[in-house]
Amino acid sequence: MTDDVQYFTQKLGSRTAYRYTGGTSENAPTIIFLPGYMSDMEGGKACAIFDDACEKGYGCLLLDYSGCGKSDGEFIDGSLSIWCDEVCALIDEKVMGDYIIIGSSMGGWLMLMAALQLAKRHNPRRLVAIIGIASAPDFTDWDFDHNDVQIILRDGVLLRDNDYGYDPTPMHRKFYQDGQTNLLLGSKIAIDCPVRLFHGQNDQDVPHEVSLRLAAALRSSDVHIHLIKDADHRLSREQDIAMIIAEIHKLIR
């Protein structure tokens, strides 16, 4: 993927880094990819989806949340609500027609929030489909025990080791508290478009049962779950990405 990063100025002045191709295929929806927690648009899945969209002539939009990647800001200041507003503002600016929203891990939670927010100001039919990749809605609720929560609220941050060789992963008080105000799985989620959920059964970070709970909570009757027995949380192997892209093509056709 070429280094074609652009910047969109949000209403409060911060700049959101993004990549966008308008596409040449008439009537095809724009593909929007939302990365996971502490991830960005340079990830393998995002790049593969963008490159495929360019090859096929589809519109595609990638972005970095504030405090992530090439966007302005500090990660400690981010939250789901802030990032959802950034995503929706950029979609309003760049995407004129129909769209498909794809969310990876935490991006799967933002995908739902953005779909609900955009439905209030767009024709809901513009949302052609959503695709969740190891979706992690409500993870502030189910991924932290009582002791974790006490540390977050008392110290302002909880640091966790991760399995991918990176620095410890922080959970900041602001993000945690905002997550708790945006829980979705406890009630019906008013999304009616086709939904495709991919989840590895060897996922050590987000149990695949979360996708089952999400499927049950969605109002849509057109929900398909793809469980991949030997896949981990990242779903970034060549065969995983090929399966996701094949599903994108099916939904566009």
Side-chain angles (χ1 to χ4, degrees):
M1 185 165 61
T2 59
D3 188 17
D4 52 355
V5 175
Q6 302 178 66
Y7 290 90
F8 170 70
T9 302
Q10 299 284 346
K11 62 183 179 181
L12 295 181
S14 67
R15 298 188 312 154
T16 296
Y18 70 95
R19 286 188 171 95
Y20 175 72
T21 176
T24 58
S25 180
E26 290 186 10
N27 301 319
T30 296
I31 302 159
I32 301 160
F33 184 88
L34 306 182
Y37 190 75
M38 295 195 76
S39 189
D40 56 42
M41 60 182 168
E42 303 291 346
K45 293 186 292 293
C47 291
I49 289 169
F50 191 89
D51 288 345
D52 181 77
C54 291
E55 179 183 332
K56 298 294 190 301
Y58 302 146
C60 189
L61 174 65
L62 310 180
L63 73 150
D64 291 339
Y65 314 125
S66 56
C68 301
K70 294 181 171 66
S71 287
D72 291 348
E74 299 296 330
F75 186 78
I76 190 174
D77 297 321
S79 70
L80 285 162
S81 295
I82 289 170
W83 293 343
C84 184
D85 287 344
E86 293 171 358
V87 167
C88 292
L90 187 55
I91 291 173
D92 283 342
E93 175 70 18
K94 301 302 300 183
V95 181
M96 297 299 106
D98 296 343
Y99 46 87
I100 292 172
I101 305 178
I102 303 173
S104 177
S105 192
M106 180 212 70
W109 192 353
L110 273 180
M111 166 188 75
L112 302 170
M113 291 174 59
L116 293 169
Q117 187 174 135
L118 290 167
K120 297 176 181 178
R121 56 189 198 241
H122 294 175
N123 182 339
R125 293 181 181 275
R126 286 183 60 189
L127 180 60
V128 171
I130 60 175
I131 300 175
I133 304 171
S135 299
D138 294 16
F139 77 86
T140 55
D141 192 48
W142 50 256
D143 197 34
F144 298 94
D145 62 24
H146 177 75
N147 288 335
D148 291 336
V149 173
Q150 293 306 304
I151 292 171
I152 293 168
L153 297 180
R154 183 191 70 222
D155 299 340
V157 64
L158 171 71
L159 297 176
R160 277 182 170 176
D161 292 335
N162 64 71
D163 298 326
Y164 305 117
Y166 306 133
D167 293 336
T169 302
M171 171 52 61
H172 296 287
R173 183 191 293 123
K174 178 177 181 178
F175 187 100
Y176 172 80
Q177 292 178 325
D178 183 72
Q180 292 301 96
T181 67
N182 284 290
L183 301 178
L184 295 173
L185 294 178
S187 57
K188 190 64 69 176
I189 301 173
I191 292 175
D192 299 301
C193 67
V195 179
R196 304 294 181 260
L197 303 174
F198 293 86
H199 217 123
Q201 289 183 279
N202 196 33
D203 189 332
Q204 302 301 308
D205 298 297
V206 180
H208 68 270
E209 288 83 3
V210 174
S211 280
L212 302 180
R213 291 179 61 195
L214 173 55
L218 286 159
R219 192 167 67 188
S220 173
S221 59
D222 186 358
V223 180
H224 298 181
I225 304 175
H226 302 266
L227 295 178
I228 303 95
K229 185 174 182 179
D230 63 342
D232 64 14
H233 179 64
R234 290 174 289 184
L235 283 168
S236 58
R237 301 173 303 177
E238 184 176 339
Q239 63 266 37
D240 301 328
I241 293 173
M243 181 168 47
I244 294 165
I245 288 176
E247 193 63 39
I248 294 171
H249 294 171
K250 289 179 185 176
L251 289 165
I252 289 176
R253 288 197 297 266

